[in-house]
Amino acid sequence: MMDKSSSTQRYHTRIAGTGSYLPEKLLTNKDLEKLVDTDDQWIRERTGISSRHMASDEEATSDLALRASQIALREAGLDAKDLDMILVATVSPDMVMPNTACLLQQKLGAPDCMALDISAACTGFVYGISIADQFIQTGHSKNILLVGAEVLHRFVDYTDRNTCILFGDGAGACVLQRTQEGQDSTVYSTHLHADGGISHLFTLPGGGTALPFSQKVLDERLHYVRMNGREIFKHAVRTMSKACDEALTANNMSPEEVNWIIPHQANVRIMEAVAKHFGVSMDKVLNEIEDMANISAATVIVAMDRAIRDGRIQRGHNLLLTAFGAGITSGSALLKY
Ligand code: ACO
């Protein structure tokens, strides 16, 4: 646990600005009916999803990240040259190397600053808040750009109805900044976990060093995601509830004092189960899944940015962010916006 009240750091971290970008093209449940044996009603009832955004053939992850980052920088009143660090949380990088953060740095015209990808699947953005917070607490950085960006559809098998209904593309970004005097927004604490013992539940087995690209990888479709959805569902509810419990306990806060729970948007039934765990109504849970689906590391920040844009989230609100993802990674971040 990274808890401010028990450490000696000098600085606090705030969210200075956010932005998001979802590609124009939509893939609807009706479109999927033509590809696999599924139907619109099943998908909506079991997941809450009606459509998902898809990047164009010309767009890579760094292109989506760029669009979201430009908005976040503008909202923060900053220029790319003000950045001390760029973090990109993604499981769908442009390429194995260089990392997507370096490609984004070049596209933004940002100066020589640290640029790092975070690979923690759907928990990547929450991991990123924690990493950025540590660098700001210690005085290393003042302005950090944290992006969650994915073009997942290139790793999804559109002959597998278990997975292809779930995922979409998009990017969200935020500028995390050293809190100045007179500002009361802050990251209270972050709580991160991983359980590699159940990593087999969600994998993309082919194309890495364990199973390099080969005709066999292509023939057996091992370059696409594989998932045990039912098992992941159980772990998702358990791990997100636990990480949120930890955040509330560490800050001596009750669920009633939280204005918004912002969970990873994987399945509306997972979000409902987390709300039930806390005895709060779904009115307190940001649910944006219907048209955006699961965008892995981008979901939490895209959902949050949409609610900031339309005024549901206001300065001074307490936000409880939580996510789980392949690994199985999980975590939470409690902050005052
Ligand atoms: N359309 C119609 N029927 C389907 C579909 C589909 N798209 N997919 C599965 N089914 C069938 C199954 O084959 C099964 O049929 P059977 O009973 O004859 O075997 C039946 O529907 C029920 O299947 P379940 O797997 O029990 O369905 P469930 O209610 O669990 O819903 C789902 C499946 C939506 C995948 C759910 O388990 C889920 O959301 N799990 C979490 C997945 C997740 O979040 N993954 C990503 C995590 S990590 C990250 O975000 C990167």
Side-chain angles (χ1 to χ4, degrees), residues 37-38 42 46-47 122 161-162 165-167 202 227 229-230 232-233 264 266-267 269-270 294 296 324-326:
D37 179 16
T38 190
W42 191 98
R46 297 294 181 108
T47 69
C122 311
R161 70 176 182 174
N162 291 302
I165 59 163
L166 294 174
F167 300 103
F202 192 57
M227 182 185 82
R230 215 174 292 183
I232 287 181
F233 192 109
H264 176 45
N267 185 317
R269 293 186 295 128
I270 294 176
N294 180 346
S296 193
F324 73 96

Side-chain angles (χ1 to χ4, degrees), residues 217-263:
V217 166
L218 291 174
D219 290 345
E220 295 182 13
R221 308 180 82 76
L222 298 171
H223 53 306
Y224 293 127
V225 294
R226 299 267 171 116
M227 182 185 82
N228 180 335
R230 215 174 292 183
E231 278 303 305
I232 287 181
F233 192 109
K234 286 189 248 167
H235 289 291
V237 176
R238 185 179 56 78
T239 56
M240 289 203 292
S241 300
K242 178 180 160 210
C244 290
D245 280 339
E246 286 173 339
L248 293 174
T249 304
N251 295 283
N252 198 20
M253 224 183 246
S254 68
E256 290 71 41
E257 291 171 90
V258 173
N259 296 91
W260 289 103
I261 298 175
I262 312 178

Side-chain angles (χ1 to χ4, degrees), residues 1-6 188-191 193 240-258 277-278 320 332-334:
M1 199 234 353
M2 275 60 80
D3 181 1
K4 291 204 164 160
S5 58
S6 62
Y188 294 123
S189 65
T190 55
H191 308 263
H193 297 279
M240 289 203 292
S241 300
K242 178 180 160 210
C244 290
D245 280 339
E246 286 173 339
L248 293 174
T249 304
N251 295 283
N252 198 20
M253 224 183 246
S254 68
E256 290 71 41
E257 291 171 90
V258 173
H277 172 83
F278 288 109
L320 180 51
S332 67
L334 184 59

Side-chain angles (χ1 to χ4, degrees), residues 127-302:
Y127 267 56
I129 290 182
S130 188
I131 293 166
D133 188 32
Q134 311 309 310
F135 278 97
I136 288 174
Q137 281 184 43
T138 57
H140 174 282
S141 302
K142 279 187 184 164
N143 296 308
I144 298 179
L145 177 68
L146 170 63
V147 186
E150 306 282 6
V151 179
L152 287 176
H153 90 261
R154 299 209 172 108
F155 298 103
V156 167
D157 184 350
Y158 287 94
T159 66
D160 176 11
R161 70 176 182 174
N162 291 302
T163 53
C164 73
I165 59 163
L166 294 174
F167 300 103
D169 303 337
C174 76
V175 176
L176 291 149
Q177 189 171 58
R178 182 190 293 179
T179 304
Q180 303 295 311
E181 227 169 282
Q183 297 172 331
D184 71 344
S185 48
T186 190
V187 174
Y188 294 123
S189 65
T190 55
H191 308 263
L192 307 180
H193 297 279
D195 183 357
I198 46 172
S199 55
H200 59 278
L201 294 179
F202 192 57
T203 59
L204 196 163
T209 56
L211 196 56
F213 266 114
S214 64
Q215 194 56 48
K216 175 180 152 61
V217 166
L218 291 174
D219 290 345
E220 295 182 13
R221 308 180 82 76
L222 298 171
H223 53 306
Y224 293 127
V225 294
R226 299 267 171 116
M227 182 185 82
N228 180 335
R230 215 174 292 183
E231 278 303 305
I232 287 181
F233 192 109
K234 286 189 248 167
H235 289 291
V237 176
R238 185 179 56 78
T239 56
M240 289 203 292
S241 300
K242 178 180 160 210
C244 290
D245 280 339
E246 286 173 339
L248 293 174
T249 304
N251 295 283
N252 198 20
M253 224 183 246
S254 68
E256 290 71 41
E257 291 171 90
V258 173
N259 296 91
W260 289 103
I261 298 175
I262 312 178
H264 176 45
Q265 314 277 302
N267 185 317
V268 71
R269 293 186 295 128
I270 294 176
M271 294 190 252
E272 285 165 353
V274 172
K276 193 170 165 208
H277 172 83
F278 288 109
V280 299
S281 90
M282 279 298 280
D283 293 348
K284 246 184 201 244
V285 178
L286 267 193
N287 173 11
E288 300 290 302
I289 198 170
E290 187 178 1
D291 72 313
M292 68 182 231
N294 180 346
I295 328 175
S296 193
T299 51
V300 168
I301 178 60
V302 173

